[in-house]
């Protein structure tokens, strides 16, 4: 299972966004985003929602959770 750091980075890069661009879109600090992408920190629920909204995905997708069959 991928880490949230890997997922955030992959989703950002797939869109061709810089950290600065994603931070502005999501309404979070670029330094904070850097901590998330390097695994030195984890988003709280509000920042996770803002990131999921920026990517147009669910929280489950953001954290790499798959629903059981």
């Amino acid at each position: 299972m991928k880490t949230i750091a890997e997922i955030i980075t992959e989703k950002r890069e797939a869109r061709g966004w810089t950290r600065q661009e994603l931070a502005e879109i999501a309404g979070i600090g670029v330094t904070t985003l850097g901590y998330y992408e390097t695994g030195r920190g984890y988003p709280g629920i509000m920042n996770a929602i803002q990131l999921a909204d920026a990517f147009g995905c669910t929280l489950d997708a953001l954290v790499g959770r798959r629903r059981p069959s």
Side-chain angles (χ1 to χ4, degrees):
M1 187 162 116
K2 292 182 183 180
T3 66
I4 191 168
E6 294 169 323
I7 293 168
I8 292 170
T9 302
E10 287 176 7
K11 286 184 174 296
R12 178 182 59 76
E13 290 176 348
R15 286 160 177 79
W17 295 341
T18 64
R19 281 186 181 167
Q20 182 67 41
E21 288 170 324
L22 175 55
E24 289 174 9
I25 292 164
I28 62 175
V30 69
T31 302
T32 300
L33 178 60
Y35 284 127
Y36 300 160
E37 287 196 356
T38 58
R40 292 184 290 167
Y42 301 94
I45 191 67
M46 292 310 298
N47 281 358
I49 289 169
Q50 289 171 264
L51 286 166
D53 287 349
F55 291 130
C57 71
T58 64
L59 286 174
D60 281 350
L62 185 69
V63 299
R65 182 176 182 269
R66 295 187 183 184
R67 293 184 176 182
S69 303

